PDB file of all heavy atoms in Angstrom:
ATOM      1  N   HIS A 125       7.898   2.357   5.668  1.00  0.00           N
ATOM      2  CA  HIS A 125       7.664   3.334   4.612  1.00  0.00           C
ATOM      3  C   HIS A 125       8.873   3.269   3.634  1.00  0.00           C
ATOM      4  O   HIS A 125      10.014   3.166   4.035  1.00  0.00           O
ATOM      5  CB  HIS A 125       7.549   4.735   5.192  1.00  0.00           C
ATOM      6  CG  HIS A 125       6.208   4.962   5.812  1.00  0.00           C
ATOM      7  ND1 HIS A 125       5.985   4.782   7.137  1.00  0.00           N
ATOM      8  CD2 HIS A 125       5.065   5.346   5.273  1.00  0.00           C
ATOM      9  CE1 HIS A 125       4.714   5.045   7.401  1.00  0.00           C
ATOM     10  NE2 HIS A 125       4.082   5.379   6.276  1.00  0.00           N
ATOM     11  N   ALA A 126       8.514   3.365   2.359  1.00  0.00           N
ATOM     12  CA  ALA A 126       9.547   3.247   1.291  1.00  0.00           C
ATOM     13  C   ALA A 126      10.649   4.298   1.500  1.00  0.00           C
ATOM     14  O   ALA A 126      11.816   4.019   1.311  1.00  0.00           O
ATOM     15  CB  ALA A 126       8.898   3.433  -0.068  1.00  0.00           C
ATOM     16  N   GLU A 127      10.265   5.504   1.894  1.00  0.00           N
ATOM     17  CA  GLU A 127      11.289   6.553   2.058  1.00  0.00           C
ATOM     18  C   GLU A 127      12.295   6.193   3.195  1.00  0.00           C
ATOM     19  O   GLU A 127      13.456   6.499   3.050  1.00  0.00           O
ATOM     20  CB  GLU A 127      10.600   7.899   2.470  1.00  0.00           C
ATOM     21  CG  GLU A 127       9.743   8.461   1.309  1.00  0.00           C
ATOM     22  CD  GLU A 127       8.295   7.878   1.268  1.00  0.00           C
ATOM     23  OE1 GLU A 127       7.937   6.917   2.000  1.00  0.00           O
ATOM     24  OE2 GLU A 127       7.484   8.433   0.476  1.00  0.00           O
ATOM     25  N   ASP A 128      11.802   5.579   4.241  1.00  0.00           N
ATOM     26  CA  ASP A 128      12.715   5.130   5.306  1.00  0.00           C
ATOM     27  C   ASP A 128      13.634   4.006   4.828  1.00  0.00           C
ATOM     28  O   ASP A 128      14.825   3.962   5.162  1.00  0.00           O
ATOM     29  CB  ASP A 128      11.927   4.669   6.525  1.00  0.00           C
ATOM     30  CG  ASP A 128      11.138   5.793   7.191  1.00  0.00           C
ATOM     31  OD1 ASP A 128      11.533   6.960   7.069  1.00  0.00           O
ATOM     32  OD2 ASP A 128      10.101   5.489   7.839  1.00  0.00           O
ATOM     33  N   ALA A 129      13.076   3.066   4.039  1.00  0.00           N
ATOM     34  CA  ALA A 129      13.897   1.990   3.528  1.00  0.00           C
ATOM     35  C   ALA A 129      14.978   2.518   2.607  1.00  0.00           C
ATOM     36  O   ALA A 129      16.150   2.093   2.662  1.00  0.00           O
ATOM     37  CB  ALA A 129      13.001   0.975   2.754  1.00  0.00           C
ATOM     38  N   ILE A 130      14.643   3.512   1.781  1.00  0.00           N
ATOM     39  CA  ILE A 130      15.642   4.129   0.877  1.00  0.00           C
ATOM     40  C   ILE A 130      16.752   4.713   1.685  1.00  0.00           C
ATOM     41  O   ILE A 130      17.945   4.502   1.395  1.00  0.00           O
ATOM     42  CB  ILE A 130      14.999   5.182  -0.035  1.00  0.00           C
ATOM     43  CG1 ILE A 130      14.049   4.494  -1.063  1.00  0.00           C
ATOM     44  CG2 ILE A 130      16.029   5.984  -0.773  1.00  0.00           C
ATOM     45  CD1 ILE A 130      13.105   5.471  -1.785  1.00  0.00           C
ATOM     46  N   ALA A 131      16.414   5.457   2.733  1.00  0.00           N
ATOM     47  CA  ALA A 131      17.429   6.129   3.567  1.00  0.00           C
ATOM     48  C   ALA A 131      18.374   5.091   4.191  1.00  0.00           C
ATOM     49  O   ALA A 131      19.579   5.406   4.362  1.00  0.00           O
ATOM     50  CB  ALA A 131      16.721   6.964   4.637  1.00  0.00           C
ATOM     51  N   LYS A 132      17.882   3.934   4.533  1.00  0.00           N
ATOM     52  CA  LYS A 132      18.717   2.933   5.178  1.00  0.00           C
ATOM     53  C   LYS A 132      19.552   2.083   4.227  1.00  0.00           C
ATOM     54  O   LYS A 132      20.619   1.629   4.520  1.00  0.00           O
ATOM     55  CB  LYS A 132      17.848   2.014   6.019  1.00  0.00           C
ATOM     56  CG  LYS A 132      17.211   2.625   7.218  1.00  0.00           C
ATOM     57  CD  LYS A 132      16.296   1.700   7.954  1.00  0.00           C
ATOM     58  CE  LYS A 132      15.605   2.340   9.119  1.00  0.00           C
ATOM     59  NZ  LYS A 132      16.476   2.688  10.225  1.00  0.00           N
ATOM     60  N   LEU A 133      18.982   1.856   3.017  1.00  0.00           N
ATOM     61  CA  LEU A 133      19.567   0.863   2.081  1.00  0.00           C
ATOM     62  C   LEU A 133      20.368   1.465   0.942  1.00  0.00           C
ATOM     63  O   LEU A 133      21.258   0.765   0.411  1.00  0.00           O
ATOM     64  CB  LEU A 133      18.469  -0.038   1.505  1.00  0.00           C
ATOM     65  CG  LEU A 133      17.617  -0.769   2.516  1.00  0.00           C
ATOM     66  CD1 LEU A 133      16.494  -1.525   1.838  1.00  0.00           C
ATOM     67  CD2 LEU A 133      18.455  -1.688   3.359  1.00  0.00           C
ATOM     68  N   LYS A 134      20.109   2.716   0.590  1.00  0.00           N
ATOM     69  CA  LYS A 134      20.799   3.274  -0.584  1.00  0.00           C
ATOM     70  C   LYS A 134      22.278   3.400  -0.345  1.00  0.00           C
ATOM     71  O   LYS A 134      22.730   3.852   0.705  1.00  0.00           O
ATOM     72  CB  LYS A 134      20.208   4.671  -0.871  1.00  0.00           C
ATOM     73  CG  LYS A 134      20.742   5.257  -2.165  1.00  0.00           C
ATOM     74  CD  LYS A 134      20.058   6.558  -2.468  1.00  0.00           C
ATOM     75  CE  LYS A 134      20.609   7.122  -3.767  1.00  0.00           C
ATOM     76  NZ  LYS A 134      19.916   8.336  -4.152  1.00  0.00           N
ATOM     77  N   GLY A 135      23.045   2.886  -1.300  1.00  0.00           N
ATOM     78  CA  GLY A 135      24.528   2.973  -1.213  1.00  0.00           C
ATOM     79  C   GLY A 135      25.200   1.783  -0.558  1.00  0.00           C
ATOM     80  O   GLY A 135      26.438   1.682  -0.541  1.00  0.00           O
ATOM     81  N   VAL A 136      24.408   0.813  -0.024  1.00  0.00           N
ATOM     82  CA  VAL A 136      25.003  -0.380   0.555  1.00  0.00           C
ATOM     83  C   VAL A 136      25.674  -1.149  -0.580  1.00  0.00           C
ATOM     84  O   VAL A 136      25.079  -1.346  -1.633  1.00  0.00           O
ATOM     85  CB  VAL A 136      23.910  -1.227   1.248  1.00  0.00           C
ATOM     86  CG1 VAL A 136      24.496  -2.607   1.690  1.00  0.00           C
ATOM     87  CG2 VAL A 136      23.352  -0.516   2.450  1.00  0.00           C
ATOM     88  N   ARG A 137      26.901  -1.608  -0.332  1.00  0.00           N
ATOM     89  CA  ARG A 137      27.626  -2.359  -1.330  1.00  0.00           C
ATOM     90  C   ARG A 137      27.889  -3.794  -0.891  1.00  0.00           C
ATOM     91  O   ARG A 137      27.966  -4.051   0.289  1.00  0.00           O
ATOM     92  CB  ARG A 137      28.950  -1.646  -1.646  1.00  0.00           C
ATOM     93  CG  ARG A 137      28.736  -0.243  -2.226  1.00  0.00           C
ATOM     94  CD  ARG A 137      30.025   0.480  -2.389  1.00  0.00           C
ATOM     95  NE  ARG A 137      30.813  -0.184  -3.479  1.00  0.00           N
ATOM     96  CZ  ARG A 137      31.848   0.400  -4.076  1.00  0.00           C
ATOM     97  NH1 ARG A 137      32.244   1.570  -3.732  1.00  0.00           N
ATOM     98  NH2 ARG A 137      32.472  -0.254  -5.015  1.00  0.00           N
ATOM     99  N   CYS A 138      27.992  -4.637  -1.882  1.00  0.00           N
ATOM    100  CA  CYS A 138      28.282  -6.099  -1.598  1.00  0.00           C
ATOM    101  C   CYS A 138      29.727  -6.328  -2.013  1.00  0.00           C
ATOM    102  O   CYS A 138      30.045  -6.415  -3.223  1.00  0.00           O
ATOM    103  CB  CYS A 138      27.328  -6.954  -2.362  1.00  0.00           C
ATOM    104  SG  CYS A 138      27.546  -8.700  -2.053  1.00  0.00           S
ATOM    105  N   GLY A 139      30.626  -6.415  -1.043  1.00  0.00           N
ATOM    106  CA  GLY A 139      32.022  -6.626  -1.376  1.00  0.00           C
ATOM    107  C   GLY A 139      32.555  -5.523  -2.220  1.00  0.00           C
ATOM    108  O   GLY A 139      32.416  -4.347  -1.938  1.00  0.00           O
ATOM    109  N   THR A 140      33.159  -5.921  -3.353  1.00  0.00           N
ATOM    110  CA  THR A 140      33.752  -4.937  -4.281  1.00  0.00           C
ATOM    111  C   THR A 140      32.744  -4.503  -5.349  1.00  0.00           C
ATOM    112  O   THR A 140      33.127  -3.671  -6.177  1.00  0.00           O
ATOM    113  CB  THR A 140      35.015  -5.536  -4.944  1.00  0.00           C
ATOM    114  OG1 THR A 140      34.615  -6.740  -5.668  1.00  0.00           O
ATOM    115  CG2 THR A 140      36.080  -5.861  -3.933  1.00  0.00           C
TER     116      THR A 140
END
Side-chain angles (χ1 to χ4, degrees):
H125 283 94
E127 294 86 349
D128 294 335
I130 292 167
K132 292 177 183 290
L133 303 176
K134 187 174 180 176
V136 171
R137 297 176 68 165
C138 184
T140 59

